[in-house]
Amino acid sequence: MQIDGYVQALREDLARVAAVGDESTARAAGLLAVALEASLGRRLQEALGEAALELSGQLESGRVEVRIAGGDPELVYVRDEEAAAAEPADEAFSARITLRLPESLKTRLEAAAAVHGVSVNTWLVQVLTRTLEPRAPSGGSRRRLTGYGRS
């Protein structure tokens, strides 16, 4: 089910509960549904991230990742070969760095790594590698934006 489906189900549940009250109760239920929409989506993604970590821990090889395409989250099994191909074969993780950061940022990093089904270290290495890869010069100042949006 899409996250939108869960949000719609929440709205319907709140409407049924509000039906036993008066007009102000119905209005409050509607406002509550709108306020909870973003939170519900975030919580569902966090739950899927935790499920992916739990499933990954039970696998002998590979891992489970949460991927979101067009707003639809899905759990995807990734074999170890794909993970190994993403890391440079000629370079081992031998360098160390100490990084001090706010606890709130650390929590966000852990959540982002969990969503991708990897350790914080692996996630940071992947992000830094992508960020520092040389990019082909673009033809002018035009920038292209792709993705999905909802208003």
Side-chain angles (χ1 to χ4, degrees), residues 37-49:
E37 183 175 338
S39 178
L40 177 64
R42 226 177 14 261
R43 296 297 180 206
L44 285 172
Q45 288 177 2
E46 289 172 4
L48 286 172

Side-chain angles (χ1 to χ4, degrees), residues 22-88:
D22 59 4
E23 185 179 315
S24 65
T25 305
R27 192 173 33 242
L31 292 172
L32 187 59
V34 170
L36 290 174
E37 183 175 338
S39 178
L40 177 64
R42 226 177 14 261
R43 296 297 180 206
L44 285 172
Q45 288 177 2
E46 289 172 4
L48 286 172
E50 289 177 19
L53 282 176
E54 181 70 28
L55 290 170
S56 294
Q58 295 175 15
L59 295 172
E60 289 184 27
S61 64
R63 67 180 185 279
V64 176
E65 293 182 351
V66 177
R67 295 185 182 171
I68 300 177
D72 297 334
E74 58 182 22
L75 296 174
V76 178
Y77 172 73
V78 178
R79 289 189 205 100
D80 282 337
E81 299 88 46
E82 293 177 28
E87 299 173 4

